[in-house]
Amino acid sequence: MARLPRARSLALIAAFVLAACSGSTSAPLHSPSPIAGALNDGLIAYVSSQGVGVIDPGTGKSAVVAPLPQGGAFRVAGPVWGPAPDVAYSVIYFAIHDDRQPERRTSPGVVPYDWLFRVDPFKGTIEPLAAGADFESEGPIGLVANAHFLAMTVGCCSDYQVDVLDLTQRSAQVKILTRPPDQPALFTEGAAPGVDGLIAVRGAATGAWYFLNPSLGVLNAFPLKPGQDDGPIAFSPDGTVAAISLIDHGALIEPVNLAPILPSPSTSAASAPPVASPTAKASPTASPVQPRRVNSKLHHVDSLAWSPDAKTLAIAIDGGIQLYTAAGKDGDAPVKTYSPAPGVTGVDWSGEIAGHSLAEVKAADNPQKLVDALLTATALPAAADTPANRALTRVYLWAYDSSKPSPIASIADATPAILQKYPPLAAQVNYDHWAPLASWALTGGCTRYRVVVTGSIAPTASSFGLQSSAPCLGASPSPTPS
């Protein structure tokens, strides 16, 4: 084939470039083909006696994404949708408390742990994010989330603490944000959209409502006036409507103005993101929705969630799910009802997931496998598990990042030199097991733990992780628990 002269070649290239820049139709662009059954209306996540599942509101079809053991083995909080690293869509978070018979001096049982899990319904994976022994409460309550933070209440009696996880940070850990006596005891009731990711909280002692700013750790004014026993509350994605569960007689829908905490549209691609005001003040709103009761014949609503377009409200009540139109009237029948499984107690509604369909949803493993694996890893050696030896047994615990070589991984004894060079985490013997003492002491990812049991027996060393005991060398690093 004859070669074109160089000048002519350059002229042809320039012509093609000019045609492309001028919008020529000689090479039309093709948009991606729409996904059959695309979830343009999002997915409704729920938790029931059978596990965590999802419902396609367009078809009413459902699928379980995290099966749970029957018989009330676990007490569950959630589910909630939130972002995750390297995923373009929202994923599901939920928390559990091991509610099985705790071990006693004269009878076997479990160490009651709280767990926080993340489930990707399209990959069929479940990840433990954190775990901690909880001997005082029945586990997390009021699990809420937005695009920035996940928050929950843990504690008992008057000692309720608010724990938060920054969902925008790959290496974030669950942190205690407020805890008596230094801060008031608070119940987490909802999460507002916006760049600050404010959390709606209610005072355990006073019943007063506030917005808690997790970034600053301060309480701000609340734009509505719920009752001291009302809640939970759900805000629409655009921050113009709120729905709150009343102490009795169903729920209340009312307009709200969250404009002070929502990000403003950028006027230029190069402009910096706006700084949101830390205080949300009530002011007139353009919401077309008028204040109204949602079926006041109902009793207290367990959970509420808005559709992506804020035109439909989903509530969990009486073990099922009911959908109501935002513009309806008190006493209107639900437009849809779902009973995907017995005992539905929690519900949340995702945003649009246009790139996936319900047919792609996969079930992850039962989280009990991970819970029981931790109990196996923390069991005392048989020689130390006697009434006489338990009082003499000492447990030393270290955390290390298994994505890279660490000298902690090879510790074989808790010598004075080792203890001085690598201070251990707090841990103690319970009965047949040992347990870490700090709240949410154990984290997932590539974090691994080295344990030395000694005192009553010769030093016995082992390693374990929440999801796997094998190191993950070469993977992304994990946070090191403080």
Side-chain angles (χ1 to χ4, degrees):
M1 181 177 179
R3 179 176 297 177
L4 293 172
R6 177 176 177 82
R8 185 179 177 188
S9 299
L10 293 176
L12 287 174
I13 293 173
F16 283 126
V17 171
L18 180 60
C21 295
S22 63
S24 171
T25 58
S26 59
L29 298 177
H30 297 281
S31 301
S33 300
I35 301 294
L39 301 167
N40 296 316
D41 295 326
L43 276 175
I44 298 174
Y46 67 88
V47 63
S48 72
S49 59
Q50 295 182 354
V52 178
V54 294
I55 301 172
D56 178 358
T59 64
K61 296 181 179 179
S62 63
V64 174
V65 296
L68 292 172
Q70 303 299 299
F74 297 149
R75 191 178 298 269
V76 188
V80 294
W81 293 93
D86 305 321
V87 178
Y89 47 83
S90 295
V91 297
I92 300 172
Y93 295 82
F94 69 97
I96 65 172
H97 174 76
D98 196 338
D99 218 24
R100 294 174 290 183
Q101 181 66 35
E103 62 184 10
R104 297 286 187 262
R105 181 175 59 85
T106 57
S107 61
V110 304
V111 173
Y113 277 88
D114 296 333
W115 288 76
L116 178 63
F117 289 100
R118 176 170 60 208
V119 174
D120 188 322
F122 301 108
K123 294 180 180 179
T125 57
I126 183 169
E127 301 174 71
L129 301 181
D134 183 355
F135 298 97
E136 298 181 356
S137 79
E138 295 183 333
I141 58 176
L143 190 73
V144 298
N146 50 34
H148 196 162
F149 291 103
L150 177 145
M152 56 192 152
T153 299
V154 179
C156 175
C157 310
S158 61
D159 190 24
Y160 294 103
Q161 66 186 44
V162 174
D163 298 338
V164 299
L165 175 68
D166 189 340
L167 301 179
T168 67
Q169 301 297 319
R170 182 186 299 276
S171 58
Q173 296 175 251
V174 177
K175 296 181 179 180
I176 300 174
L177 186 61
T178 65
R179 180 169 57 185
D182 298 327
Q183 296 93 18
L186 302 170
F187 294 120
T188 46
E189 298 285 4
V195 293
D196 281 340
L198 301 185
I199 305 300
V201 295
R202 176 170 56 89
T206 64
W209 285 71
Y210 307 94
F211 264 139
L212 175 61
N213 188 321
S215 299
L216 303 178
V218 296
L219 294 175
N220 298 320
F222 199 69
L224 300 172
K225 298 185 181 300
Q228 62 181 7
D229 294 315
D230 292 339
I233 190 169
F235 296 97
S236 62
D238 62 0
T240 63
V241 187
I244 184 167
S245 176
L246 305 176
I247 186 175
D248 200 359
H249 301 299
L252 175 68
I253 292 177
E254 56 184 324
V256 65
N257 180 25
L258 298 186
I261 65 170
L262 290 176
S264 302
S266 176
T267 57
S268 169
S271 63
V275 178
S277 169
T279 302
K281 298 180 180 179
S283 60
T285 174
S287 172
V289 175
Q290 299 300 313
R292 75 171 186 90
R293 294 287 185 97
V294 179
N295 199 347
S296 56
K297 296 179 181 179
L298 300 174
H299 52 82
H300 180 79
V301 173
D302 295 322
S303 182
L304 316 94
W306 286 101
S307 62
D309 60 8
K311 293 181 179 179
T312 307
L313 178 69
I315 65 173
I317 189 168
D318 293 335
I321 300 172
Q322 300 180 7
L323 268 56
Y324 292 86
T325 58
K329 296 181 296 184
D330 185 16
D332 284 354
V335 293
K336 290 182 181 179
T337 60
Y338 302 120
S339 299
V344 173
T345 57
V347 64
D348 197 21
W349 205 322
S350 77
E352 178 183 348
I353 312 177
H356 295 277
S357 69
L358 187 69
E360 300 175 66
V361 169
K362 304 176 181 66
D365 286 337
N366 190 320
Q368 184 175 351
K369 294 182 179 180
L370 301 169
V371 175
D372 290 347
L374 177 60
L375 294 174
T376 299
T378 57
L380 289 178
D385 191 15
T386 67
N389 282 350
R390 285 176 194 147
L392 304 174
T393 302
R394 298 292 178 267
V395 177
Y396 299 91
L397 175 67
W398 295 270
Y400 64 96
D401 185 352
S402 70
S403 67
K404 54 187 177 183
S406 172
I408 292 177
S410 58
I411 291 177
D413 192 5
T415 64
I418 289 292
L419 295 178
Q420 183 178 10
K421 189 172 184 180
Y422 306 108
L425 305 175
Q428 70 176 18
V429 173
N430 193 45
Y431 291 109
D432 301 321
H433 298 79
W434 62 267
L437 295 181
S439 181
W440 301 109
L442 307 178
T443 60
C446 289
T447 302
R448 300 292 180 266
Y449 298 90
R450 188 68 172 174
V451 184
V452 171
V453 181
T454 186
S456 61
I457 59 175
T460 302
S462 61
S463 297
F464 73 94
L466 284 188
Q467 188 159 18
S468 171
S469 297
C472 51
L473 291 173
S476 300
S478 295
T480 300
S482 58

